[in-house]
Amino acid sequence: MAKRVTREECNCFALRQAARFVTQLYERHLSQVGLTAAQFTILSRLASHPDATAADLSDDLVMDRTTLVRALKPLQRDGLVLALAAEHDTRTLVYRLSASGARRYEKAHALWLDAQAEFEQYMKRDRARALRAELFAITGAAAH
């Protein structure tokens, strides 16, 4: 019989626990503008890369499409994100921020900076940078 892995040895448990802690920290700040962390990442991606398809967003954010569509619905309902027919193929939708979405993103970005600073109080800036590099290395390796 194989040795049972303890929770202290479990990579998944450690990552999920840390992810919940970090998500709660950022959402405490972002809730002031009525956004979740997932919604903020979508707005952030669209602010820098407008006219993204669902496939673009899904791949870039490492979200399955069902989760992405569920996160986009309230953003569209609230008029923050627009879904438009792509120029190259009218059957394909592209997403972009509306004017009010851009304004909400700017307000949220300031709150995100506050959350970032609070996180770096726990981790210190250099450790936080190293952690991000390691985490991006995981998703980067998985994509190849």
Side-chain angles (χ1 to χ4, degrees), residues 49-68:
H49 298 91
D51 296 338
T53 65
D56 295 335
L57 290 168
S58 177
D59 291 346
D60 190 48
L61 300 174
V62 191
M63 294 174 83
D64 66 72
R65 289 205 187 152
T66 304
T67 303
L68 174 68

Side-chain angles (χ1 to χ4, degrees), residues 30 33 35 39-48 80 97-112:
L30 294 170
V33 290
L35 293 174
Q39 291 170 333
F40 176 79
T41 60
I42 293 168
L43 295 183
S44 178
R45 170 60 166 75
L46 292 175
S48 61
L80 304 176
L97 296 181
S98 66
S100 63
R103 286 190 299 275
R104 178 88 59 96
Y105 170 72
E106 289 304 320
K107 290 177 185 174
H109 186 262
L111 297 167
W112 175 86

Side-chain angles (χ1 to χ4, degrees), residues 116 119-135:
Q116 192 83 345
F119 178 80
E120 290 181 356
Q121 287 177 352
Y122 295 111
M123 288 290 297
K124 304 301 178 218
R125 182 168 287 147
D126 290 342
R127 286 181 63 211
R129 185 180 303 117
L131 176 62
R132 283 191 307 275
E134 289 298 321
L135 294 171

